[in-house]
Amino acid sequence: MLKLLLRLLCKLAFKITGWKLRGHLPHHLNKFVIIVAPHTSAKDIPLGLAVKSVGHIEYVKYMMKAELFKAPYGWFFRALGGYPVDRSKNNNLVDAIVDIFNSKERFAIAIAPEGTRKRVEKLKSGFYYIAQKAGIPIVMVGFDFPSKTVKFSEAFYPSGNYEKDMQFILKYFSGFTGANPELGITQKHLPAG
């Protein structure tokens, strides 16, 4: 009952605030990694939850730092599909997530490739290696706050050429402006070449 109420509230908030969806997830695929950027504000979390409801993608899990899953809010994030990530330990998170993909018939996970809301000089690479090792595509989702648009890319399969693929991914995201533009992805993030 609580999940249903939260979904309805998310849909209502999305509609009232004037946000729009462009494109769609590849529902015909059973497994994929979603990367969402730019991640520049705490506003991205409720927006992402609203997108899950509006886009009928409740089955997609999302990764967040483990600290957010402690009392008093841990139950809330779990109820909405959260998956805690312990960033303080030197564990092989990529292989652990690949194992989850390999053990499930249908699984999708959303990751913010910046890894934080702070300004970063480069994106984390874990999402890329998860997709590559699991043999699944990446779907890029851009949040554009000025136009209130959330845009889904077509499914993209990593080629194995990390630099070339990252150039493609960063170019896609360079067209979106986060809630705090100064913290977002810029041409500076693009690899040389």
Side-chain angles (χ1 to χ4, degrees):
M1 183 66 174
L2 178 61
K3 284 185 183 182
L4 178 61
L5 179 61
L6 289 172
R7 284 185 197 132
L8 291 173
L9 288 173
C10 285
K11 286 182 178 183
L12 182 62
F14 195 82
K15 188 172 185 170
I16 288 172
T17 57
W19 281 84
K20 304 168 285 299
L21 290 182
R22 298 287 180 252
H24 53 82
L25 279 181
H27 291 291
H28 63 286
L29 298 174
N30 288 330
K31 301 177 185 184
F32 47 91
V33 174
I34 298 170
I35 55 173
V36 183
H39 181 36
T40 65
S41 166
K43 295 175 186 176
D44 301 337
I45 296 167
L47 178 57
L49 294 173
V51 169
K52 278 182 64 167
S53 295
V54 173
H56 304 289
I57 53 174
E58 287 89 0
Y59 61 90
V60 175
K61 303 290 183 191
Y62 60 93
M63 296 175 62
M64 293 176 66
K65 60 184 176 181
E67 297 85 359
L68 294 174
F69 287 84
K70 295 179 181 171
Y73 304 110
W75 66 270
F76 178 75
F77 292 123
R78 279 187 182 81
L80 294 173
Y83 184 91
V85 177
D86 185 353
R87 300 185 305 179
S88 66
K89 293 183 180 173
N90 189 10
N91 52 16
N92 193 336
L93 187 59
V94 168
D95 287 340
I97 294 173
V98 169
D99 288 344
I100 293 169
F101 272 104
N102 291 335
S103 72
K104 300 215 182 266
E105 198 65 33
R106 179 174 197 159
F107 189 70
I109 195 161
I111 299 171
E114 291 132 311
T116 181
R117 294 182 309 251
K118 298 175 186 163
R119 179 96 174 136
V120 296
E121 294 303 314
K122 65 179 187 169
L123 301 183
K124 303 248 182 216
S125 60
F127 74 89
Y128 183 85
Y129 293 109
I130 290 166
Q132 187 178 36
K133 286 183 173 189
I136 58 175
I138 297 167
V139 176
M140 296 167 279
V141 179
F143 287 175
D144 191 62
F145 276 77
S147 69
K148 292 188 174 184
T149 303
V150 177
K151 184 176 179 189
F152 295 90
S153 76
E154 296 293 322
F156 167 74
Y157 286 86
S159 70
N161 182 334
Y162 178 78
E163 292 296 319
K164 181 181 173 196
D165 290 347
M166 285 304 290
Q167 184 117 18
F168 176 78
I169 290 166
L170 287 165
K171 188 171 184 174
Y172 177 84
F173 284 122
S174 68
F176 297 94
T177 303
N180 295 309
E182 69 280 3
L183 302 178
I185 295 170
T186 64
Q187 293 294 324
K188 184 168 114 176
H189 291 93
L190 292 170

